[in-house]
Amino acid sequence: MEWYEVGLGLLGLLMLLIGLGLPIPFALAAASLPFLWQIQSFDTSIVSAELKLWGVWIDYILLAVPLFVFLGELIGRSRIGPNLYQFLHQGVRVRGSAAYGSIGACAGFGAVCGSSMVGSLTIGGVALPEMLRLGYGKKLSSGVLAAGGTLSVLLPPSLILLFYGIVTDQSIGDLFIAGVIPGLILVTAFCMVVLIWGIVRPEDIPGNESSAKMGLIQIAATIGPIAAIGLVITVAIYAGIATPTEAAAVAALLTVILAFGVGGLTWQGFKDALFATMRTMGYLGLLLSAGVLFGFVLTYYRVPHQFTELFLSFDLSPYVVLMIVLAFYILLGMFLEPVSMTFITLPTIYPLMAAAGFDLIWFGVVYTITMEIAVLTPPVGLNLYVIQGIGRGKVSIGDVISGCLPFIAALVLLIVILILFPETALWLPEQMR
């Protein structure tokens, strides 16, 4: 079969199966098998599928995924995350402190957990009712928390950057540290959005916010756990003391101790965190395995290589190629979630970006930002529905979408900055080397 027949056949069959309601991991595997049978017998293809499944579950690098997921679940079920929001809200004595505190808490949470949805759920569960009680506008309250979750996947550690590194065979450490400066710029941009929002719509931000000050012991118990976990992860990886997997393991153990010691975690909460991690990894494990099988079929038929050659034959400017790819991902992100997009499309897209002359570490950061725009765009914007669910009828999905628009503009602006000044993402990794 010709490569384009395989590529179109895989894509068409995959979209058909997803449209019929088949879960994405099973759709990926089912779309791959007919083309696998063209090169292997039925019995051999079953063995190949089993080997791909087993290979994912025993991959040393991938062990970091359940560890970071478990770490995030522990923080979400203890008081560590909510306490961070309360500290930032009560400690920042300015108009709009709850909104700025939400951004800061999401950024702090992002320094220890790489999941956008978990970040929005953990901080939003505490911040949204409090902001509505204080008199903040529904659109601002929901928008800042839905968008704030995106900071969790740009500031290291990031599950999307981790998956990107696995698919593209790039250094996980370099990818993590490349996200630091763009992440800090995004925090600043989100704060500017809140500031401008307060000027344009002053009725959405109350003038006075009644909140009690925290004592020194409370402050230490609030900042200490997040700082300790974040330092273990960053110092261990960037100082070359440990691999990302080893750093995740030590950080997860430290989180267990801190969650019980100062976070008020109960045994029931601990068990819930374990079961939630297993449920998440059950889905992710199948998705990773099916994605590897899908990628194997693509690679065997040389679809990525031939697609890259075809695209380059049009002699387009590298930046035109980049714009087409980004537009493709933003459109696709309206219907698929980021992890699925990563394993379905990246095996074909990243060789094209490399051939166009773009640094793959830099593109990893741009790609991650694009994925975070995807979680804020309907109809399949995960963060939108998380915040709407937390609102318990007080916030509509329209409020959340409208509230996210200025923050999406900030994400787009960050992509423009990265395109104009690639050193924004590449300078820090170069210095670390």
Side-chain angles (χ1 to χ4, degrees), residues 274-326:
L274 279 175
F275 284 120
T277 302
M278 286 189 282
R279 284 193 297 270
T280 301
M281 288 312 302
Y283 175 82
L284 285 180
L286 289 173
L287 181 61
L288 290 168
S289 305
V292 169
L293 187 65
F294 191 82
F296 170 75
V297 173
L298 284 173
T299 304
Y300 181 87
Y301 285 100
R302 293 172 56 82
V303 174
H305 177 74
Q306 295 292 342
F307 176 76
T308 299
E309 286 192 350
L310 174 65
F311 215 95
L312 294 178
S313 68
F314 294 116
D315 199 26
L316 299 174
S317 161
Y319 291 100
V320 172
V321 174
L322 178 64
M323 290 302 105
I324 293 172
V325 168
L326 294 182

Side-chain angles (χ1 to χ4, degrees), residues 10 48 55 75 83 177 254-255 278 292 296 298 351 411 430:
L10 276 170
S48 295
I75 293 175
N83 283 350
I177 200 160
L254 178 61
T255 304
M278 286 189 282
V292 169
F296 170 75
L298 284 173
L411 286 162
E430 289 172 358

Side-chain angles (χ1 to χ4, degrees), residues 14-302:
L14 178 63
M15 292 299 104
L16 174 63
L17 293 170
I18 292 174
L20 292 173
L22 195 66
I24 291 176
F26 297 107
L28 274 171
S32 304
L33 286 175
F35 298 93
L36 190 61
W37 292 335
Q38 297 293 320
I39 56 177
Q40 295 180 350
S41 66
F42 179 80
D43 291 340
T44 305
S45 65
I46 294 298
V47 174
S48 295
E50 290 172 348
L51 289 174
K52 298 299 179 186
L53 178 66
W54 178 248
V56 165
W57 286 104
I58 63 171
D59 191 299
Y60 174 73
I61 296 176
L62 286 175
L63 284 175
V65 178
L67 291 168
F68 281 129
V69 171
F70 181 52
L71 188 154
E73 293 290 346
L74 286 171
I75 293 175
R77 283 170 168 76
S78 68
R79 292 197 303 266
I80 294 176
N83 283 350
L84 179 63
Y85 165 74
Q86 293 294 349
F87 165 70
L88 290 170
H89 165 31
Q90 296 173 14
V92 181
R93 293 293 178 178
V94 296
R95 183 169 177 265
S97 63
Y100 296 122
S102 297
I103 295 170
C106 287
F109 192 85
V112 295
C113 173
S115 171
S116 173
M117 190 171 67
V118 173
S120 290
L121 186 62
T122 301
I123 305 301
V126 178
L128 185 58
E130 177 71 3
M131 291 180 73
L132 294 177
R133 182 188 70 81
L134 291 169
Y136 281 81
K138 294 180 180 179
K139 293 179 180 179
L140 174 60
S141 302
S142 54
V144 75
L145 291 167
T150 64
L151 298 170
S152 294
V153 295
L154 194 54
L155 293 167
S158 162
L159 291 183
I160 296 298
L161 283 174
L162 180 61
F163 291 142
Y164 175 91
I166 291 167
V167 172
T168 62
D169 195 29
Q170 297 298 304
S171 165
I172 305 296
D174 284 351
L175 285 167
F176 279 1
I177 200 160
V180 171
I181 293 178
L184 295 176
I185 292 174
L186 191 59
V187 171
T188 305
F190 281 2
C191 289
M192 292 301 299
V193 168
V194 173
L195 179 64
I196 295 170
W197 194 312
I199 296 171
V200 175
R201 294 179 60 89
E203 67 275 12
D204 283 348
I205 299 180
N208 296 313
E209 301 178 18
S210 57
S211 56
K213 292 184 178 180
M214 299 177 72
L216 291 176
I217 296 176
Q218 286 179 294
I219 292 174
T222 297
I223 299 178
I226 293 290
I229 297 167
L231 281 173
V232 164
I233 294 171
T234 54
V235 172
I237 294 175
Y238 305 133
I241 299 171
T243 64
T245 301
E246 292 164 347
V250 175
L253 177 60
L254 178 61
T255 304
V256 172
I257 296 170
L258 292 173
F260 276 114
V262 298
L265 183 69
T266 63
W267 280 110
Q268 185 59 46
F270 180 76
K271 288 191 291 184
D272 290 344
L274 279 175
F275 284 120
T277 302
M278 286 189 282
R279 284 193 297 270
T280 301
M281 288 312 302
Y283 175 82
L284 285 180
L286 289 173
L287 181 61
L288 290 168
S289 305
V292 169
L293 187 65
F294 191 82
F296 170 75
V297 173
L298 284 173
T299 304
Y300 181 87
Y301 285 100
R302 293 172 56 82

Side-chain angles (χ1 to χ4, degrees), residues 408-432:
I408 292 175
L411 286 162
V412 173
L413 177 62
L414 180 57
I415 292 177
V416 173
I417 291 172
L418 286 167
I419 292 173
L420 295 176
F421 308 102
E423 299 82 10
T424 306
L426 296 178
W427 179 79
L428 199 53
E430 289 172 358
Q431 297 306 308
M432 296 299 293

